[in-house]
Amino acid sequence: MRVEDHSLLDPEIQESPFAYYHALHEQAPVYFMPDLEAYLVTRYRDVQTVLRHPEIWSNDLLGKAGYSMFQHPEAQQVLERGGWPRDTKLQTDPPEHRMYRDLVMPAFTAGRVRGLETYIRQTTRALLDEMARTSACEFLGTFAAWLPIRVITRLLGLPAEDAPRIKHWSDAWVEPLSGAITKEREIEVAHLGVELQQYLAGWMKRKQEAPPEDVLGELSVATFPDGSPLPMAEKMGIAEHLIVGGHETATSALASGLMLLIEYPKVQAELRRDPSLVGHFVEETLRLESPSQGFFRYALTDGEVAGVRIPQGSMVQVRFAAANRDPEVFPDPDRLDLHRSNAGAHMAFSQGEHHCVGAPLARLELRVAFEELLDRFEGLAFEPDTTLRHLPGLALRTLEALPIRYVERPSADRKAVKTEDSP
């Protein structure tokens, strides 16, 4: 495979990019891709170089690169007239970024995340109860899409019954990231964005009138270090970021993990023999099937990566998923290895200043989900004649659907993992 004969925008590459990642590693680890009009960085150490130098390669695409999530001004105008322009300060560069990151960090402290485990396990079991009503289901629509959205709804302090609406808005929010959205749909997405913003604004107003007891309540009364209130546009950007970041990627990882369990029956058998390895399986899932394949940076000055000069004003795509299969860091990188000593060093959550604040919560959701699923069902298999496909897109990797079959294990054979509320 020759690097110049393909592109990340090719549908067949988006469906299965891994051979192309290896070709990039070998032939052009820093490659200017004409279709993207961007430099593609794929080796682990080179991605680290970019992430460690935000003074050269900026993450603030809105403020410093003039980038808009919407391609069409009509969509942007819908949001500006009815809501607030999309602007999450969590995407800014240091030192500004640190101030906004500090506002959300309390939501993801170790204690607060641990405190959600009982709810996550109970919610997981309730969803598995629904699966157990039949011997087959479409896993994304039955389970994977619902556990993360219910958890983030709980974390924010929003009504559980609103989870379907929040999921609908969140799914629309990420559509422009695909790079393959029509003008008409982009305008529809902007209207849905206004609905989400007005919904959140209403709840923040209500929560301002009572002592904050949840993340949205804390955000509603958030202030800068000097005591001045955080503007509503910035509160909104952070709230939207938490909803989408707390839902979309975890959904993708749950589906990818189950796909891998079915594809690797020996791994599944080993996890059943030793459930303590589920955490290792989660890390390998995130490494092999990174939900966030890569994101852009903007060159504030002339720079150089691996001997390649990158001019000021250039766009740079840091390809986390390619770095996660770099053989210099992960020997035999395409193999799922439950005993890989450095699996947790993957870049599925990025690294450095912009390492995902919700990573501990995502890991907990995934671990609990697979512990419970393996305990509840056996005979996991794809439905006959299933051809798995992924949604088209440059940034995210998500299965379109995952139709599966399974057999419920006898209750006497289950391990019944205890929760904090268990006797």
Side-chain angles (χ1 to χ4, degrees), residues 82-84 193-203 236:
W84 292 265
V194 170
E195 290 180 17
L196 172 59
Q197 290 183 341
Q198 293 298 336
Y199 169 84
L200 292 172
W203 273 104
M236 194 61 65

Side-chain angles (χ1 to χ4, degrees), residues 124-136 268 272 372-381 404-414:
T124 296
R125 290 174 178 175
L127 290 167
L128 295 180
D129 286 345
E130 289 298 314
M131 283 179 58
R133 295 177 186 274
T134 63
S135 60
Q268 186 182 148
R272 292 188 189 282
E372 294 288 342
L373 193 147
L374 287 165
D375 192 44
R376 184 71 176 268
F377 298 115
E378 58 191 5
L380 293 164
I404 60 168
R405 302 191 68 81
Y406 43 85
V407 176
E408 188 173 16
R409 299 179 68 208
S411 56
D413 293 343
R414 298 180 206 160

Side-chain angles (χ1 to χ4, degrees), residues 193-325:
V194 170
E195 290 180 17
L196 172 59
Q197 290 183 341
Q198 293 298 336
Y199 169 84
L200 292 172
W203 273 104
M204 279 193 269
K205 183 177 180 181
R206 272 178 269 184
K207 289 176 181 291
Q208 283 178 331
E209 300 167 0
E213 298 178 348
D214 48 59
V215 173
L216 201 61
E218 292 165 0
L219 186 59
S220 72
V221 295
T223 62
F224 291 113
D226 65 3
S228 59
L230 199 66
M232 177 56 85
E234 296 182 9
K235 294 178 185 178
M236 194 61 65
I238 292 171
E240 288 179 307
H241 188 98
L242 292 176
I243 288 172
V244 175
H247 164 232
E248 298 293 340
T249 53
T251 293
S252 299
L254 284 166
S256 294
L258 185 55
M259 176 191 73
L260 291 173
L261 281 178
I262 295 172
E263 290 180 342
Y264 290 86
K266 291 182 179 178
V267 167
Q268 186 182 148
E270 186 171 3
L271 291 173
R272 292 188 189 282
R273 290 193 301 270
D274 185 359
S276 71
L277 292 173
V278 169
H280 298 267
F281 171 72
V282 167
E283 300 302 334
E284 280 287 81
T285 295
L286 292 166
R287 185 184 68 81
L288 290 166
E289 292 285 334
S290 311
S292 297
Q293 293 280 291
F295 290 115
F296 285 104
R297 296 295 191 270
Y298 175 72
L300 297 173
T301 66
D302 290 347
E304 184 177 299
V305 181
V308 177
R309 180 180 175 272
I310 299 178
Q312 179 182 1
S314 301
M315 297 300 291
V316 176
Q317 164 88 185
V318 283
R319 203 67 182 169
F320 303 129
N324 286 341
R325 292 186 183 235

Side-chain angles (χ1 to χ4, degrees), residues 347-364:
M347 291 188 175
F349 297 116
S350 187
Q351 285 186 359
E353 186 75 18
H354 287 280
H355 180 264
C356 176
V357 295
L361 178 59
R363 284 183 162 107
L364 176 62

